[in-house]
Each structure stands twice: as structure tokens, then as C-alpha cells.
Amino acid sequence: MKTVPIQPSAPSIKDVQHYLRPGTLQLPALPPLSLYVHLPWCLKKCPYCDFNSHEVEGEVPQQPYLDALVADLDAALPLIWGRAIHSVFIGGGTPSLFSPQSIDQLLGAIRARLTLEPACEVTLEANPGTFEKDRFRAFRSAGVTRLSVGVQSFNDAHLKALGRVHDSAQAVAAAQEAAMAFDTFNLDMMYALPGQTLEQMEQDMVQALALVPPHISIYHLTIEPNTYFAKFPPRIPDDDSAYAMLDRITEMTAGAGMERYEVSAYAKPGHRCWHNVNYWQFGDYLGLGAGAHSKLSFPHRIVRQVRYRDPKLYMRNAMAGQALAQDDEVARADLPFEFMLNALRLKDGFTPAQFCERTGLAMSAIEQPLQEAERKGLIERDLARIRPTQRGFDFLNDLQSLFLAAP
Ligand SMILES: C[S@@+](CC[C@H](N)C(=O)[O-])C[C@H]1O[C@@H](n2cnc3c(N)ncnc32)[C@H](O)[C@@H]1O
Ligand code: SF4
């Protein structure tokens, strides 16, 4: 096996005192903490995907990777001493490539080191191409409470154009099994697909809703830099057609009793994704695994960390207690934009108390851009909440950029 050197310049997790030293921020309380675990392998790389996912060569090295995750967690523990975990999200890549026994081992190692809140949501992402009878139930027995099934479309031609490893029948079977094995589950869908018409998108939604999912995430297909699609762009619907599709999606989901509670997320009452809501409310998360991102608050600072992206390099460095490739304090001037990048994705927006508690800043820090956003009809506010208007949702980038720090 080729050996991968440990990077000598790696910013290893510093002594916790380093993060606790005095600073200009005063956070009155630490936010809820979530745990993200990244499993970076897939059967095949999809041509649109820029996630840190790698086509598996031979067998997935499940045990060495689990060992690295546990070493990584052990090294990070001092940064989150005494804090309970409110949600766990096992994402990828294709986590369902890992066996239920491996997921059981992973969750066991997490529970042995951290206190999970009694109602802790534990999501696992699953690909219909890795679906076998009884596998989903075994994930449930391992402690997973919520499955997120990557369906994308139910149209075989579109699934092929997206380079997916499964067909529509497999997607339906996986969603049906998820419904039987779990109290709550999500379907990941995409729209504005290569050559897709409004009618085809409607058929996708009719099929999705027939499976009675408590939650759907629907993303506009984006052509990301450094993907196969960026090099060989497919013909995709124009902006007007994509807007018309989004309107229909919102109508059809509302007709099925689902609320668009976030720009891309629709849920029945009681089925919002707690983990993602914590991200959008500018909560904290510790990310373990190759390329995983963390956001951690301390009384006088907020820190962002990124772990090594390459799985082999990550495993090697994590075993040596040096999984971090980047470790930076968020500049005070960047906090308003960082907060808004998340909070304005939520239909319910945020409360002034949340802004002050999560950023350590006073409301006066955003009064000017708030007034401008209100004047442009992009937000509405009362004493209790500040929320995006429909126009704000439609022009979210414009709205968020009002909060960028002055250069
Ligand atoms: C990290 S993927 C995980 C799910 C799993 N790997 C799968 O694809 O089945 C999360 C979701 O992001 C969405 N996604 C990924 N790349 C995208 C792109 N370029 N444009 C829009 N949505 C994308 C897909 O809906 C995907 O299910
Ligand atoms: S299966 Fe998911 S993570 Fe893997 S390449 Fe495809 S979209 Fe990306």
C-alpha cells in the first residue's frame, strides 16, 4: 500500500486554553451542538456532484476508517467537554455503503464518549443503489432514527442522464422500505434536470408524494465547477422554466400538507430536520471524517475547522491526532453575513435574541442593512421575529449580500 505522509504544517487541535483565551466577542451562552460524520465513498461519482465523495476502489476500508473517526473524535473531545449532542447526521458520500454492523460500532463509540440528548435525531443518508432487503431495518436497530434517501428523480431517462447507479423501481422500493422501517424519513430530489419539462417534473412530484414522505428536500440542479457537467454542460431548463417548476413544487407539496420551512426543504408538521435547522439557526457542529467542516463556539470566539479531504490522508493524520487541515477564527466583521447566510434560508427567520446569542453582537450591528432589506421588500419584521418575504426568498443571494462586511 502506498503510504501518505502526515502534513508537517498541519494545524493540530490546539490546547483547549487557546480557544478559551480572552477575545472581543462575548457569547452569553453556547448554542446547541450537533455531530456530523462524513463517510466519503460512493459506488460511482455522479457527474454533477462536487461533494467530497470518491469512487470506491475494491472494498470500502470500513474498519480503518472507523478507527480514524474514533481517534479524530478523541482528539476533538476537549473542545466540547460537557456539551450534550442534539443531533447526529451521517452523510456522504454514500454512508449506506457501510454495513449496519459498522454503523452500530460508530454510534456505540459516539455514545461511549458523548451524551446524546434523549430525543437525539440520528440521520443516515442512503442511496437506493445500495438497498437490500432488511438493511434499512438493521440501520434502525443500530440507532439510526431517520433515513434520507437520495432519489433525485423517478424518471429512468433522467436518472441515467444524472449518472445515478439506480433506476426508478429501485428508488420506489427504497422509499417504501424507508417508510416501513422508520418513523420519519426524507427524499432528496432535484429539479431543472437535463431536458426536463414541467410535466415530467410534475410526474416526479406525483410519484414522490404518492410515497407519503414526511420530508422532501428539493434542489435546483446546479452545475458546480470542477465536475464532469462543468466540463461537458448538459442542456438544462432556462431560469423561467425553473421558477415555474419551483412554484409547482411548492403548490404540490402544500397540497400534500407539507410546509416549505426552508428554501429547499418541505416537511409535514413535526418532521423538520432538526440537524439542518440547527445549522440554519447558526448552531454549533463538530464534523468528523474526511473533509468535514466544524463550527464551534467558545465564550469569546467562533471557530471554523476543516479536516483533510483526501480519505487516505485523513485516516493517516486522524490516527496521529492531527485531522485538521484548517482552523480559523471567524472575524467579528464576518459574523453578520455568516449568520444571515443560514438564518434567512428559514421561512420563520430568526429572533433578535437568537442573533445576539449566536454571534455575540448587538442588533445595532445589523440595523442599517436590515432597514435597507425592509425598504426593498426583502424582509418583514415585528418585535418578535425578522423573516424573509416571498420576494426575499426569491432573491435570497441579494438579500444575504446586504449583510456582507464593508471591504
Ligand atoms: C451529499 S448528497 C448525499 C446523498 C447521496 N450521496 C445520494 O446522492 O444519493 C446530498 C444531496 O445533494 C443534492 N445535490 C448534490 N449535488 C447537487 C447539485 N450539483 N445540484 C443540486 N443538488 C445537488 C442531491 O439531491 C443529493 O441527494
Ligand atoms: S451518490 Fe451522492 S455523494 Fe456520491 S457522487 Fe452521487 S451525488 Fe455525490
Side-chain angles (χ1 to χ4, degrees):
M1 197 175 115
K2 216 172 88 188
T3 56
V4 185
I6 295 170
Q7 303 256 312
S9 59
S12 56
I13 292 178
K14 299 175 183 87
D15 186 272
V16 69
Q17 292 306 328
H18 172 82
Y19 299 96
L20 293 175
R21 73 194 192 284
T24 59
L25 287 186
Q26 298 290 342
L27 295 191
L30 299 183
L33 175 64
S34 294
L35 184 67
Y36 175 78
V37 183
H38 192 76
L39 306 185
W41 290 282
C42 292
L43 287 175
K44 187 168 163 276
K45 183 80 182 174
C46 302
Y48 56 86
C49 176
D50 77 337
F51 287 88
N52 186 30
S53 59
H54 305 264
E55 227 164 89
V56 62
E57 300 157 13
E59 290 279 299
V60 175
Q62 298 192 38
Q63 193 58 50
Y65 194 74
L66 289 176
D67 292 343
L69 287 173
V70 173
D72 187 359
L73 174 57
D74 280 337
L77 280 179
L79 304 193
I80 54 166
W81 277 143
R83 297 178 69 182
I85 300 294
H86 290 250
S87 63
V88 179
F89 196 104
I90 308 174
T94 304
S96 52
L97 277 178
F98 277 63
S99 68
Q101 292 75 15
S102 291
I103 299 301
D104 187 53
Q105 197 184 327
L106 171 65
L107 291 173
I110 291 170
R111 285 182 190 279
R113 288 162 178 78
L114 295 167
T115 305
L116 268 52
E117 286 285 319
C120 184
E121 174 190 276
V122 181
T123 303
L124 178 115
E125 283 184 337
N127 184 312
T130 60
F131 167 69
E132 293 159 23
K133 192 101 191 76
D134 299 333
R135 196 173 173 87
F136 286 2
R137 280 167 214 263
F139 285 135
R140 187 188 176 122
S141 302
V144 174
T145 65
R146 179 176 185 271
L147 209 68
S148 177
V149 187
V151 164
Q152 319 312 344
S153 168
F154 289 100
N155 178 310
D156 279 335
H158 289 145
L159 287 171
K160 204 160 174 223
L162 292 173
R164 300 292 293 179
V165 293
H166 58 88
D167 61 17
S168 171
Q170 283 171 298
V172 171
Q176 284 170 338
E177 187 64 21
M180 276 193 281
F182 290 89
D183 298 332
T184 193
F185 68 99
N186 168 56
L187 299 182
D188 263 352
M189 303 282 296
M190 292 195 294
Y191 71 99
L193 305 178
Q196 190 179 42
T197 63
L198 183 63
E199 291 68 34
Q200 287 171 328
M201 190 283 306
E202 284 176 346
Q203 281 161 16
D204 262 359
M205 288 306 296
V206 167
Q207 174 61 80
L209 295 172
L211 294 161
V212 204
H215 192 288
I216 304 186
S217 299
I218 312 181
Y219 308 99
H220 183 298
L221 173 68
T222 42
I223 306 300
E224 303 287 352
N226 304 318
T227 58
Y228 181 87
F229 274 180
K231 230 175 171 180
F232 304 102
R235 273 178 74 90
I236 48 173
D238 60 26
D239 286 352
D240 285 349
S241 312
Y243 269 119
M245 288 183 189
L246 184 57
D247 282 348
R248 280 298 287 143
I249 289 166
T250 307
E251 269 171 32
M252 291 174 82
T253 45
M258 305 179 86
E259 189 191 3
R260 186 182 182 195
Y261 71 99
E262 188 264 350
V263 172
S264 309
Y266 302 76
K268 294 215 166 127
H271 290 274
R272 292 181 181 193
C273 174
W274 203 96
H275 186 85
N276 287 341
V277 169
N278 193 36
Y279 286 168
W280 297 320
Q281 291 183 338
F282 213 47
D284 274 5
Y285 48 95
L286 173 67
L288 302 175
H293 290 234
S294 304
K295 173 208 166 237
L296 295 171
S297 303
F298 299 89
H300 304 298
R301 60 188 37 76
I302 296 173
V303 168
R304 289 200 179 277
Q305 300 176 333
V306 187
R307 280 151 167 80
Y308 283 103
R309 254 179 97 80
D310 175 75
K312 280 188 189 146
L313 193 60
Y314 166 76
M315 285 194 274
R316 190 94 183 163
N317 283 283
M319 290 309 288
Q322 295 187 348
L324 294 188
Q326 280 175 44
D327 182 13
D328 299 303
E329 194 168 323
V330 182
R332 193 185 164 92
D334 294 337
L335 281 168
F337 179 65
E338 291 227 1
F339 181 90
M340 296 304 167
L341 216 46
N342 290 285
L344 292 173
R345 296 182 62 94
L346 286 167
K347 183 169 158 271
D348 294 340
F350 63 95
T351 64
Q354 266 171 347
F355 175 80
C356 301
E357 194 182 297
R358 300 289 154 92
T359 62
L361 302 174
M363 281 301 284
S364 54
I366 50 167
E367 190 47 40
Q368 217 183 328
L370 277 181
Q371 281 181 16
E372 193 179 341
E374 213 173 2
R375 215 172 32 246
K376 291 182 168 165
L378 299 172
I379 59 159
E380 56 193 11
R381 59 172 160 168
D382 51 32
L383 285 177
R385 301 199 80 84
I386 296 155
R387 41 168 81 83
T389 56
Q390 182 58 50
R391 189 176 157 77
F393 246 22
D394 289 344
F395 297 96
L396 191 56
N397 289 346
D398 296 344
L399 170 57
Q400 288 161 333
S401 58
L402 294 177
F403 297 89
L404 274 169

